[in-house]
Amino acid sequence: MDPIAAAVYRGHIFHITGSPTVNDAPAHLQSIPDGALAVGTDGVIAYCGAYSQLPPAYAAWDVHDHRGGFLLPGFVDTHMHFPQTYCTDSYGGGQLLEWLEHCIFPAEARLADPCLAQRAAEAFCRRRIAAGTTAAMVMGSAFPEAQELLFSATHAAGLRMVTGRGVQTVGPPSAQPLLTSTQRAIALCANEIDSWHGSGLTDVALVPRFALSVDTDTLTALGELYDAVRGDGVYFHSHLSENARPGTGEVDTTLSTYQVDSYLDTYDGHFLPGSRRGGSTLLGRRSILAHAVHCHDRELARMAETGTSISHCPTSQLFLGSGTMPWRRTIASGVNVALGSDVAGGDEWLLARVLNDCFKVHISETAGASVSLHPAALLFTATLAGARALDREATFGNLDAGKQADFLIIDPNRSEPLADNLSHGIRSDDEQLATEQTLFRLLMGLREPAIGSVLVRGREITGYLDDNR
């Protein structure tokens, strides 16, 4: 890659500084209307603050003037599906399990074709860049060649990604092309770790689709493999308690299949009947479980205790009729909650659109549970909480000096409704409330065209959109 030129980016900076919890995010919201972000040749942020106070050491650096626009941390999407790149808005005639059987399993099986897999990998990267998603946890393909193409395309695009092949050892007839034996699955996972983990931009996770896609033998083997590689920083990712339709939904089916007391037990090594221990836990600070809509208090407490994060996917939960993750109760448990698009159960790639749904569903919860989320909490959930879930908070997630420069340049003039709302909308005379109103309008009204530039480690990567169509 070409070297990075040291530069100063000037614009209205919004980010959550420091290392707060979501409840403390409003106190850590930093708004700098005429801000400067100085990025060195190493791609690291040297200064973030007022332009008028730019240190003399950076005064000779080239200035990229984006006044009238905004500088935000790159979005961190903690739950996406690469094999579902072409599956948004798929109609399957029912909720989660029907949708998987009729739409998703057949669609994912098509990535056995390397030509289609190549197109999907490039499209997946383009759509991430267009949406400003600089880092992501990605559920991968069951097919090794498709995974290789995804890793290669991600490196070419300059994006950050954690992914792992989708492990399935049991499933309905429509999933048969995706299934392997446990022995084969473990061998493929180990090879993926050897080939791609820790390569700079990419890391590897162990990714069983969900508890119903594997059996106790597979969970035992995954636990043994994770024990061997956990110290190398390998991740774990899966789904948890997404759909609770009585009797035939995902949660009840999991409980009856394994005869366990809680869904979380299947990932915590207690997957034998009666929740007896059968293997090692897969929980931990590099473990992310998507959805967690219908968890018991003790499941939330166990995730908090182990440092396991939740990927909250409100858009997907609306699309599949899965319900609403109870915000107040989940946050009160102390578990870290980050944001996920869940493409393609979620049909929005842009995390700002997912935040839009997040605000709406939680203000609409029943009395006593309802909450009007502060715009700082929304920004935190889509940025710093995601970096925390990926155990990379020291590297990216906000614009503090010393972190790598993963950020977005937002030009409202590229989106007339956004520009008009920011320019002509009601603005309080109270400075703090006016700041919050501006950030809220920006997050709620943001659309892909307004994302003018995307930078990862200080390097502009937006050109990939034109070079790979």
Side-chain angles (χ1 to χ4, degrees), residues 223-400:
E224 291 172 351
L225 177 57
Y226 203 37
D227 283 345
V229 299
R230 187 192 289 265
D232 297 323
V234 172
Y235 294 79
F236 174 77
H237 186 46
S238 194
H239 298 84
L240 175 70
S241 299
E242 179 177 359
N243 180 279
R245 183 176 55 195
T248 59
E250 174 211 13
V251 175
D252 280 355
T253 303
T254 300
L255 297 180
S256 62
T257 297
Y258 284 92
Q259 300 177 49
V260 292
D261 299 328
S262 78
Y263 196 143
L264 187 67
D265 285 345
T266 63
Y267 302 131
D268 202 13
H270 294 272
F271 48 73
L272 297 180
S275 289
R276 289 184 293 111
R277 178 168 292 281
S280 298
T281 185
L282 296 164
L283 307 182
R285 70 176 190 178
R286 288 199 167 194
S287 298
I288 301 175
L289 294 173
H291 303 295
V293 178
H294 306 284
C295 288
H296 302 299
D297 286 346
R298 60 189 176 85
E299 291 177 293
L300 296 174
R302 177 62 176 159
M303 284 187 277
E305 175 190 8
T306 58
T308 300
S309 291
I310 290 171
S311 178
H312 179 32
C313 307
T315 301
S316 169
Q317 286 148 26
L318 287 169
F319 183 79
L320 292 172
S322 299
T324 300
M325 185 200 80
W327 181 272
R328 288 185 183 275
R329 184 165 67 87
T330 304
I331 295 301
S333 73
V335 67
N336 179 51
V337 176
L339 200 68
S341 66
D342 193 24
V343 164
D347 59 349
E348 295 284 358
W349 291 79
L350 176 61
L351 282 189
R353 303 298 300 143
V354 181
L355 287 176
N356 192 297
D357 286 335
C358 185
F359 180 83
K360 292 172 182 175
V361 299
H362 294 303
I363 202 171
S364 300
E365 289 191 64
T366 56
S370 172
V371 57
S372 177
L373 289 173
H374 193 283
L378 295 171
L379 180 61
F380 171 87
T381 305
T383 56
L384 193 58
R388 185 171 298 167
L390 294 173
D391 198 26
R392 297 296 302 277
E393 188 177 359
T395 305
F396 57 85
N398 63 17
L399 303 179
D400 286 346

Side-chain angles (χ1 to χ4, degrees), residues 37 39 43-45 395 403-407 455-459:
L37 195 68
V39 180
V44 173
I45 297 169
T395 305
K403 293 196 177 181
Q404 295 181 5
D406 293 10
F407 67 101
L455 293 92
V456 175
R457 300 191 298 184
R459 189 181 304 278

